[in-house]
Amino acid sequence: MKLLDRVRNTLRLRHLGRKTEKAYTQWIIRFLRFHASPGEDGKPVWKHPEQMGEAEVRDFLLAFAALGLLPPSCDRRPAIAAGRPRAS
């Protein structure tokens, strides 16, 4: 079974809504595209998520944060976890 099919099945088993499912799968696709490298024929060479780790997630989030593309809730979570809620 393909990765996104497994994700969708898991989300449905947890009774999450269709909009949540769509949002999760869109973020996964963005993550995979971010780490795809161009092949010799110009087509992307995909890296399987099992081959990636914390460094790839960090790079992805830092790139989106630098462009201002992360939702504000993602920006506040580290501060809240550290006990320093940020003023919005």
Side-chain angles (χ1 to χ4, degrees):
M1 185 181 290
K2 292 187 175 188
L3 173 68
L4 292 179
D5 292 333
R6 290 186 359 222
V7 168
R8 287 184 189 104
N9 285 340
T10 300
L11 296 175
R12 289 174 187 167
L13 284 173
R14 294 180 181 194
H15 304 288
L16 296 177
R18 295 292 179 169
K19 288 184 180 181
T20 302
E21 178 183 316
K22 185 176 180 180
Y24 278 35
T25 55
Q26 286 175 346
W27 276 108
I28 291 168
I29 291 167
R30 285 184 194 107
F31 177 75
L32 295 173
R33 285 183 180 158
F34 180 82
H35 289 291
S37 56
E40 292 179 15
D41 58 358
K43 293 182 181 178
V45 176
W46 300 98
K47 197 173 181 183
H48 196 278
E50 289 179 350
Q51 299 171 331
M52 295 186 262
E54 186 179 325
E56 286 83 3
V57 173
R58 184 187 60 245
D59 293 344
F60 174 72
L61 292 175
L62 287 173
F64 271 78
L67 295 171
L69 298 175
L70 285 179
S73 60
C74 290
D75 192 28
R76 288 193 304 268
R77 284 187 190 143
I80 292 169
R84 320 176 253 109
R86 214 179 69 160
S88 295

